[in-house]
Amino acid sequence: MMTDIIWGNGSEILSSNSFILNVTHRKNGNKLDYSDVEKIKIIEADIPGLPQNESEWNKEILGKCTHEAFLKCEIQSRDESGMILAKVSHSGVGGY
């Protein structure tokens, strides 16, 4: 089963493991629709500067690592509040 993927720029930090993504690109063939602004909860991360251990994360660290960074979100699901649960990684410059 193919995973839905969206890309965009990190914006406001909501908590130590969630943030707002300004969505700029969507994978062709995504099963679901995604708006231009989505709330993302990180369930797995590959983000330079973000500690491996989630217990060390906080809003300040997450903000430094995601603010205005171009991020790839591989979507696992959407919870009942509408937040997207995703694997989040830094996207290569210019590429996806």
Side-chain angles (χ1 to χ4, degrees), residues 46-94:
D46 181 9
I47 301 173
L50 195 63
Q52 290 289 311
N53 187 346
E54 191 175 331
S55 66
E56 298 172 25
W57 299 2
N58 60 44
K59 288 176 78 169
E60 183 181 2
I61 290 170
L62 186 61
K64 283 181 180 161
C65 296
T66 62
H67 185 66
E68 294 186 357
F70 189 57
L71 302 169
K72 174 182 180 180
C73 298
E74 297 172 66
I75 295 158
Q76 289 226 333
S77 61
R78 198 188 277 274
D79 70 15
E80 60 281 354
S81 73
M83 185 171 279
I84 289 173
L85 280 50
K87 177 183 178 184
V88 180
S89 52
H90 262 205
S91 206
V93 176

Side-chain angles (χ1 to χ4, degrees), residues 2 11 16 21 30 38 44 47 54 59 62 64 74:
M2 295 297 289
S11 182
S16 64
L21 184 77
N30 276 353
E38 292 282 4
E44 192 182 332
I47 301 173
E54 191 175 331
K59 288 176 78 169
L62 186 61
K64 283 181 180 161
E74 297 172 66

